[in-house]
């Protein structure tokens, strides 16, 4: 398959953002390491290349490079930050350390009429985001400056005849307000690419590919009810129908009504061939007397694998195993930065053993999370699945601090249900990354009516985040917190105190365990 836009990754923390900004404009793109062999790159028949930024200096030994031959292919190339500096150096320019390292906002002070800045006027104010320690001191022959800033005389450069462009700033970040317009000018005005990347076209192409791959075989998919596994299952079902067998493990550690919701949606609405393993008692036995959070996680993971393997024996022969792997997982395994040594264990199958004899099918591996949600809408999945907040693999076991018992799980489920009901009623559910209740391993004295109580403490956690790597606590309105607290202490017998967690990540984590 040809790829309209290939992004060569030089290790920038923003590389994924470039891809997302390109795809937002309905243009399909892929990220590949800058070490990709030239012949493989040519075989992809890209209509344009984007060279990402990166943390290195072009002058250091071992700095990432590419074959200069790419600049003579005749296809448009856009270098961003390090990508621009590398292009300048490889084509005969000079790059040096900047007198002052430049991080943060900058304003362009001059623009030369050019397709990259079509629709821009200096008098309107053109603000960009810089993040560099080197800068281009002398541009290569046949290049000219098309934008300047106070600290960068070559803030943007272009070849006079060939479609080669460089930007010292980062158009992909939100701090460059019109960055998407600049990228759009490159994609459409320079590269003349047709914006035809839609979820409708993806469904059509991917269902055909799945049918061809699977043939008359059977596929097993671990269905958790989360966004990724749900979309994966429904897409597969559309392609191959009852050749798909979904396995849902009810481990007794889910939120109130969640297991019933999964069964109802996928059996009744989508008519999936769904095997349900009711294994709550087995998981609780494994957790009996366990208080260490890491021990909880390991026991839950081991038990999940055992239960899943047993379910596979009842399913019958299946040749394929489906996973809801997303594009960030794929990128992580090939990134130039080096995290390929620590590829994620895919959470939706619980880290299945390598010796399981299945061929892997990953129909979502080209998509980002936001694209998966759009795909889910196209496939008819309900909002309670598509917009669901992230939920940890070990479930409520790591939100019941201390020993996990049926009684303590019941308390937490009741409190958590109230938290989610009130946050939804306030219209805040989709704007918050995660919101949930935690049952603490302490009791406090309280008064209810004329009676003294000595009951459990519940903590409320709500955070804003983009990817879960960092998070800020959400400043929920005091009246909302008050309603949550009143309802929990009035409706959940056994909890007499509610506290609110105002810790950010770092130094804390989102989950308490």
């Amino acid at each position: 398959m040809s790829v309209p836009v290939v992004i060569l990754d030089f290790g920038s923390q923003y590389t994924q953002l470039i891809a997302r900004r390109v795809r937002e404009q309905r243009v399909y793109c892929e990220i590949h390491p800058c070490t990709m062999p030239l012949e493989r790159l040519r075989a992809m028949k890209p209509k344009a290349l984007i060279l990402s930024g990166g943390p290195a200096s072009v002058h250091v030994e071992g700095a990432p490079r590419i074959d200069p031959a790419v600049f003579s292919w005749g296809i448009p190339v856009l270098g961003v930050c390090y990508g621009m500096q590398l292009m300048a150096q490889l084509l005969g320019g000079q790059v040096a350390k900047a007198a002052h390292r430049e991080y943060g906002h900058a304003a362009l002070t001059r623009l030369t009429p050019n397709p990259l800045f079509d629709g821009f006027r200096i008098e309107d104010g053109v603000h960009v985001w810089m993040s560099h320690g080197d800068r281009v001191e002398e541009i290569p022959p046949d290049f000219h400056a098309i934008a300047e800033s106070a600290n960068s005389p070559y803030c943007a450069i272009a070849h006079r005849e060939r479609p080669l462009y460089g930007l010292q700033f980062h158009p992909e970040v939100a701090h460059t307000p019109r960055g998407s317009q600049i990228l759009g000018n490159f994609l459409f005005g320079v590269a003349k690419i047709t914006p035809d990347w839609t979820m409708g076209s993806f469904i059509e192409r991917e269902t055909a590919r799945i049918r061809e791959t699977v043939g008359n075989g059977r596929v097993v998919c671990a269905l958790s009810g989360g966004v990724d596994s749900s979309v994966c299952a429904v897409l597969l079902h559309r392609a191959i129908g009852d050749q798909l067998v979904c396995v849902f493990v009810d481990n007794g550690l889910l939120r109130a009504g969640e297991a019933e919701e999964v069964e109802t949606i996928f059996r009744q609405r989508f008519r999936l061939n769904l095997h349900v393993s009711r294994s709550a008692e087995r998981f609780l036995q494994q957790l009996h007397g366990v208080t260490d959070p890491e021990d909880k996680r390991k026991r839950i993971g081991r038990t999940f694998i055992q239960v899943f393997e047993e379910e596979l024996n009842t399913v019958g022969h299946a040749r394929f195993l489906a996973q809801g792997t997303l594009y960030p997982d794929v990128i992580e395994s090939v990134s130039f930065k080096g995290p390929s040594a620590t590829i994620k264990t895919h959470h939706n199958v619980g880290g299945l053993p390598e010796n399981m004899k299945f061929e892997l099918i990953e129909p979502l591996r080209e998509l980002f999370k936001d694209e998966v949600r759009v795909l889910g809408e196209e496939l008819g999945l309900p909002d309670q699945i598509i917009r669901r907040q992230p939920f940890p693999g070990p479930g409520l076991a790591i939100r019941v601090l201390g020993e996990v018992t049926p009684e303590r799980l019941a308390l937490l489920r009741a409190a958590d249900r109230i938290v989610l009901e009130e946050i939804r009623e306030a219209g805040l559910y989709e704007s918050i990354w995660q919101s949930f209740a935690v049952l603490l391993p302490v009791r406090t004295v309280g008064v209810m009516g004329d009676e003294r109580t000595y009951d459990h403490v519940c903590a409320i956690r709500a955070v804003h985040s983009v990817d879960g790597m960092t998070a800020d606590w959400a400043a929920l309105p005091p009246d909302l917190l008050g309603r949550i607290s009143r309802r929990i202490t009035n409706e959940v017998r056994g909890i007499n105190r509610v506290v609110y967690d105002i810790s950010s990540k770092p130094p804390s984590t989102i989950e308490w365990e």
Side-chain angles (χ1 to χ4, degrees), residues 48-51 70-71 75-79 87 163-166 186:
L49 295 178
I50 298 179
L51 314 182
V70 300
F71 302 117
I75 64 172
V77 180
L78 175 66
M87 180 194 297
L164 306 177
Y165 297 85
F186 175 72

Side-chain angles (χ1 to χ4, degrees), residues 111 193 205 217 320-321 472:
L111 284 174
I193 294 173
R205 177 169 58 84
F320 301 93
L321 175 67
D472 291 325

